[in-house]
Amino acid sequence: MRLDAKIPGGPLTEKWDRHRFELKLVNPANKRNFDVIVVGTGLAGGSASASLAELGYNVKTFCIQDSPRRAHSIAAQGGINAAKNYKNEGDSIWRLFYDTIKGGDFRAREANVYRLAQVSNNIIDQCVSQGVPFARDYGGLLANRSFGGAQVSRTFYARGQTGQQLLLGAYSALMRQVADGQVTIFPRREMLDIVVINGQARGIVVRNLITGEIETHPAHAVVLSTGGYANTFFLSTNAMGCNVSAIFKAYKKGAGFSNPCFTQIHPTCIPVHGTYQSKLTLMSESLRNDGRVWVPKNPGDKRSPRQIPESERDYYLERKYPSFGNLVPRDVASRSSKHQCDQGKGVGNTGLAVYLDFADAIKRDGKSVIEQKYGNLFEMYEKITAEDPYETPMMTYPAVHYTMGGLYVDYNLMSTIDGLFVLGEANFSDHGANRLGASALMQGLADGYFIIPYTIGGYLAGTPLPEINTSRQAFLDAAQTAKDRTTKLLSINGNRTVDYYHRKLGLIMWDYCGMTRNDHGLMMARKMIQELREEFWENVIVPGANEEFNQSLERAGRVADFLEFGELMIIDALARKESCGCHFNEAYQTEENEAKRDDDNFKYVATWEFKGYEKEPVLHKEHLAFENVELTQRSYK
Ligand SMILES: Cc1cc2nc3c(=O)[nH]c(=O)nc-3n(C[C@H](O)[C@H](O)[C@H](O)COP(=O)(O)OP(=O)(O)OC[C@H]3O[C@@H](n4cnc5c(N)ncnc54)[C@H](O)[C@@H]3O)c2cc1C
């Protein structure tokens, strides 16, 4: 495996324009000769499918759900960033670029991040033209609010339902192409393998989730936009169907996997409340625009929050980080919450929670203003906890939320397999070791609407792509492997459910590869995962049959992949002997308990090459060059 980022030459600000000029074009009349497969219909896949079809390519789009509209992107709450500077606060493309590079603790590629900031403004225009109902101010102009890690308000939003509204926009664009015959949708299909012929991605194998039938589909290029793998931890804020399987299968077929240990733990989620829980709920970062985070100053103080006087409260984020206050980036806020709880200052029954208090904001702005901004989030909180956050502070605790790692992609968003492109949360690209809030939607839509439509053309126009069909041996072999695995899972007939193994894996990951890590714990965790995986393949029970809608079988396949992938996360965490962003190895911290990077030795993208089941993967490094920003110790004081 050879990593080549293919970063264009020239000044940072001109790279993307220059690259678009230099990329080969597919003549409009020739586009109809190319078939493109897009797996995933979230913001990344939905926008890519619509845009590629609009250009004239024949697109086949696949998703697990019954409708593209149900992709996990629909859950996104707080907003999407863009450098419009509508508030006249001094925002700019450069500032968004800088904030994102710094927010990621200097572990992302400058050229990609700059391009992301450049196209951020086009995304807002595109979505407004589609009719996305972004919040507007009194005069009718688009409103903005703040998110973590920035000192400007650059987040566009639609109450706490931004993802839903953006997805409806992308979905309408997609369905227009379906009506025109340019896109064929294959819902309820799970990609089980990718087909590589002569080093090129030429198709996929999917299971029809209703009939159990294995299907094979050929194409000239394959685009994976299958989302993130936070569910490796079992409990996360992600939808239950989110998985690693598609990108993990691609990894096994030769796609490099980058920075798998970079997992974002979001500071404000509704705390875990029991052992039977299977899902955690996010309370959007937007709430920290108005909510103030605090804990009692005295450990073990069990009084109700309203009985604790101001003088006995510690607004620790405001105290520790006066410049950014409650809106420090997520990694910093999460570790601070944990730190408070570790000192016995956590609140609630478990002691694993901190307050997020709106009393001051309600006093200042009135309840109706707060309701307008966050009404649906408050309602959701009350439904889940039976407490009214207008009256009593919310209780929140960090939870697994997003994965910065993903398949390696070059500047064209192509993986290390020719013709296999990866978009959205599924790639590793733009967020380094920590993603800033409201930047995932920006990245997914940048990839889908504004980057892949150009870069895929460059590939298709410049690459010999012999005609193939699904009778090729590579298709037959991949389909047979998928069938054999399903048969194996159904035949074990052991004593433990799939969820039992998933929960156990999740706990191992959370305890040893979560908010903080250390080498001893990681080594133990690796062994525990290996043992758990062995037991899974001997003792899991998967009820039902293949030829039916069988969600236990679906989950079994995904958990089997998580059980292998979890180990890769551990291997990656062990190899990175520094702390950066979300990856906090206790051995590497500053005197103030912040992450301590080692730029001399670890300023790289760690990309792993699969070498066989139960064999050590091989590490490849893309060294990151910072020519436009100065590497500093990240500070939000
Ligand atoms: C609760 C919550 C709130 C969030 N709020 C925000 C926010 O306010 N702002 C922000 O910027 N980000 C937010 N995020 C992050 C953001 O929502 C996601 O990163 C983003 O939506 C991911 O989009 P995607 O298109 O990459 O993947 P997804 O939306 O996850 O879509 C994945 C698609 O792939 C398909 N798929 C997956 N595996 C397979 C397979 N094997 N075969 C076939 N199809 C497959 C699925 O069916 C789906 O269609 C939030 C995340 C969560 C969990």
Side-chain angles (χ1 to χ4, degrees), residues 39-45 62-65 68 71-80 147 162 189-192 225-228 237-239 241-243 245-246 282 284 401-402 423-426 435 437-442:
V39 188
T41 58
L43 286 174
F62 298 77
C63 66
I64 286 176
Q65 292 84 355
H72 157 72
S73 289
I74 205 158
Q77 298 177 349
I80 173 166
F147 260 64
T162 316
R189 302 297 202 287
E190 176 159 12
M191 184 193 123
L192 295 184
S225 33
T226 49
T237 61
N238 282 203
C242 293
N243 65 86
S245 293
L282 173 74
S284 165
H401 177 65
Y402 179 90
L423 317 183
E425 196 173 334
R435 172 175 73 79
S439 286
L441 303 185
M442 172 171 72

Side-chain angles (χ1 to χ4, degrees), residues 448-463:
Y449 283 135
F450 295 108
I451 300 169
I452 189 78
Y454 299 102
T455 58
I456 206 169
Y459 172 74
L460 294 172
T463 314

Side-chain angles (χ1 to χ4, degrees), residues 20-28 31 57 454 457-458 460-462:
R20 278 189 300 169
F21 177 70
E22 286 171 357
L23 276 170
K24 286 200 168 117
L25 295 176
V26 181
N27 168 322
K31 290 202 174 83
Y57 297 112
Y454 299 102
L460 294 172

